Amino acid sequence: MAIDVEDFYRKYGPMVLRRCRSILKNEDAAMDAMQDVFVKILKKEKELNNSSPSSLLYITATNVCLNILRKSERKAEASDNSILDIIAGSDDPEERVLNNIFLDKLFKKEKPSTRTIAMLHYVDGFTLEETAEQVGMSVSGIRKRLRGLRKNGLELREV
Amino acid sequence: MKNKVNHELHYEQIALGELKPENEYDKDKIRSIEESNQKILKEYPPELMAAQIKMRMNEPNRDAVQNRRIFRRIYIPLSAAAVFLLFIAIYPVLFERTGTNTSMESDTVRFKGNGPSLYIYRNENGETELLGNNTIVKEKDLLQISYDAQGARYGVIFSIDGRGAVTLHFPGNIYSSTRLDSGGKVLLPYSYELDNAPFFERFFFVTSEHEIDASVIMEKAGRIAKGNKSEMLILPEDQRQQSMILFKEEVE
């Protein structure tokens, strides 16, 4: 479907920017990420169906921002708003296991999409079903991925 | 009754009209989202954002994208009232050097001889100072750019900093017309806070009697920024250029 970029931004830009701001906590980085999100979506506009793209934009924003954080961590830049801090900072008892002493080691072994899944489920409060829908996986796949994450986390903690 | 609290996407989708609000909490959230939408669209206008997104789609070179970040971060848009106040502050400086005749004969501070001129002012503690070539400036100095077209009809103003970041000052983006205002000195509607880029900030003013493609100028500027930063642009015969450099004071 042909997309008018200006209209598309007018409708969805604020939502995407809010999402990027909430993860990156930096206005310049969020603005940059927001534009990246639109570029990614618009480059695949032929694949967009007529249904609302809000979910796709939201999850793409999440992925883009987590990638930015991951790259910044790789560069060993001091950051008080890293993905690890975000995830470790959640109140969910389940993921208290995953404290940021070993989250770094833990996520190094995981697929990038596992970060996104953890972010959506643990931090954003998506249900397993909603997380599955957002990332295009089955609920059992999500459960398995999170189970693996917890298991690896516990093993690391014991070490 | 305790309201059900959902994740943010849920509220965003209600605000987009894709879902219906279920309770008062939803409605409060939607109101705040709508207010945020208005603020964001005012701060980041759709026409400008669309242009930047399109530019990025056609620009796989990530370095250029990095350069644009700098220019966003350091620009401070001024309200009409602020521009007016700044103009009042700068006005005496403008005419102290040029008299009351706006079609000045020469810019004794910046560029020799007749022709289009660029002026850079520093506003510090309420004092406005016209800066000359080689002036020492420092991080967080608040600069205001002004030009006098002196008959030139089109122009592009940009700067390159010591990190190799290119900042377009005029026009507002590479897709806008480069038509200059005539009739004397014109203040750009932005002040410009120097960031912590080291060494220098070099300003260019490219003018012509014919429309200038700002994107072409920015491409050329990008090449200088990545290479020898003391070079001038290679321009067609109908375009003129001037440059001035401000040196950055090291801040410990």
Side-chain angles (χ1 to χ4, degrees):
Chain A
M1 71 187 199
I3 292 176
D4 181 302
V5 179
E6 199 173 315
D7 288 345
F8 198 58
Y9 165 80
R10 187 177 285 109
K11 184 167 186 183
Y12 298 107
M15 175 194 78
V16 174
L17 183 60
R18 273 191 294 276
R19 178 60 170 165
C20 296
R21 280 172 172 171
S22 74
I23 298 174
L24 298 173
K25 311 278 194 256
N26 175 293
E27 186 67 12
D28 290 326
M31 171 53 60
D32 204 48
M34 185 273 284
Q35 292 187 4
D36 267 359
V37 170
F38 276 88
V39 169
K40 281 181 188 295
I41 298 294
L42 290 167
K43 280 186 173 172
K44 293 179 179 176
E45 68 175 286
K46 286 179 184 169
E47 295 171 25
L48 290 178
N49 56 34
N50 288 326
S51 65
S52 157
S54 60
S55 294
L56 181 60
L57 283 158
Y58 196 86
I59 197 73
T60 304
T62 306
N63 288 334
V64 165
C65 292
L66 293 184
N67 277 338
I68 289 170
L69 290 177
R70 191 159 48 87
K71 284 176 187 169
S72 70
E73 283 161 6
R74 198 179 293 156
K75 286 179 189 170
E77 290 176 355
S79 169
D80 59 1
N81 55 15
S82 69
I83 173 62
L84 304 180
D85 293 329
I86 291 170
I87 292 174
S90 171
D91 290 333
D92 191 313
E94 265 191 313
E95 51 92 27
R96 281 183 187 150
V97 176
L98 310 173
N99 65 59
N100 57 17
I101 294 172
F102 54 79
L103 273 175
D104 188 26
K105 285 183 185 174
L106 177 61
F107 278 110
K108 270 181 187 162
K109 295 198 292 184
E110 299 290 339
K111 295 177 182 173
S113 58
T114 304
R115 287 172 182 254
T116 305
I117 290 168
M119 177 84 180
L120 292 175
H121 183 60
Y122 290 134
V123 181
D124 295 326
F126 283 62
T127 63
L128 291 173
E129 290 76 14
E130 288 167 337
T131 306
E133 189 185 336
Q134 293 301 320
V135 298
M137 289 173 61
S138 65
V139 173
S140 62
I142 295 293
R143 211 174 259 133
K144 188 177 172 188
R145 195 73 74 85
L146 292 176
R147 203 161 47 230
L149 186 65
R150 279 195 295 272
K151 180 172 170 286
N152 291 338
L154 286 167
E155 283 174 4
L156 265 176
R157 194 179 205 190
E158 285 169 11
V159 171
Chain B
M1 186 181 87
K2 189 181 176 186
N3 289 319
K4 180 189 172 192
V5 178
N6 291 295
H7 50 73
E8 288 299 315
L9 178 58
H10 172 84
Y11 301 115
E12 295 283 2
Q13 289 176 326
I14 294 175
L16 288 165
E18 296 168 7
L19 297 174
K20 288 184 178 173
E22 294 169 0
N23 52 42
E24 283 306 309
Y25 183 80
D26 282 0
K27 289 175 184 169
D28 287 345
K29 284 284 291 180
I30 300 322
R31 268 191 291 276
S32 73
I33 287 174
E34 286 168 350
E35 285 170 12
S36 167
N37 286 351
Q38 286 180 6
K39 198 174 165 192
I40 288 171
L41 292 175
K42 190 177 173 190
E43 197 175 352
Y44 303 109
E47 59 274 17
L48 179 60
M49 285 299 106
Q52 290 192 354
I53 290 164
K54 285 176 189 169
M55 184 165 67
R56 192 175 288 203
M57 287 177 75
N58 298 320
E59 184 186 69
N61 183 347
R62 193 65 191 160
D63 288 344
V65 173
Q66 297 285 354
N67 290 342
R68 283 204 308 276
R69 288 181 188 164
I70 304 297
F71 124 67
R72 253 198 329 269
R73 188 175 70 240
I74 55 187
Y75 263 132
I76 301 175
L78 299 177
S79 65
V83 168
F84 178 73
L85 288 173
L86 192 57
F87 185 76
I88 294 294
I90 286 174
Y91 190 87
V93 182
L94 294 182
F95 297 105
E96 180 184 328
R97 295 181 185 279
T98 63
T100 54
N101 184 359
T102 54
S103 60
M104 64 175 191
E105 291 176 0
S106 67
D107 180 345
T108 55
V109 177
R110 286 292 324 287
F111 304 120
K112 304 292 184 188
N114 294 328
S117 300
L118 185 70
Y119 303 90
I120 299 173
Y121 300 91
R122 174 167 53 191
N123 196 325
E124 199 168 29
N125 302 324
E127 299 283 320
T128 303
E129 173 193 8
L130 178 58
L131 303 181
N133 204 15
N134 302 329
T135 299
I136 307 293
V137 293
K138 61 182 183 305
E139 182 185 351
K140 296 190 185 302
D141 273 358
L142 195 60
L143 306 183
Q144 173 67 42
I145 298 170
S146 167
Y147 68 82
D148 188 338
Q150 285 281 322
R153 298 177 68 200
Y154 299 92
V156 173
I157 301 169
F158 68 90
S159 63
I160 296 172
D161 70 21
R163 283 203 192 103
V166 182
T167 301
L168 179 64
H169 300 287
F170 180 85
N173 65 70
I174 60 168
Y175 298 99
S176 295
S177 168
T178 58
R179 184 67 195 247
L180 297 169
D181 286 337
S182 58
K185 292 178 179 172
V186 176
L187 290 174
L188 298 190
Y190 297 94
S191 64
Y192 172 81
E193 186 181 270
L194 286 174
D195 67 2
N196 61 358
F199 310 129
F200 64 86
E201 190 84 24
R202 189 179 180 208
F203 291 81
F204 286 78
F205 187 24
V206 179
T207 54
S208 176
E209 298 309 304
H210 308 104
E211 179 71 78
I212 301 172
D213 185 338
S215 67
V216 173
I217 297 295
M218 290 302 278
E219 275 181 29
K220 292 178 177 178
R223 282 199 283 274
I224 288 183
K226 286 176 195 164
N228 182 350
K229 297 178 181 63
S230 64
E231 282 184 356
M232 299 297 282
L233 302 171
I234 298 170
L235 297 172
E237 282 186 1
D238 67 319
Q239 293 179 7
R240 300 173 61 188
Q241 64 184 314
Q242 304 163 35
S243 85
M244 77 175 283
I245 190 164
L246 304 177
F247 289 105
K248 295 289 284 293
E249 182 183 46
E250 263 187 54
V251 178
E252 290 182 8

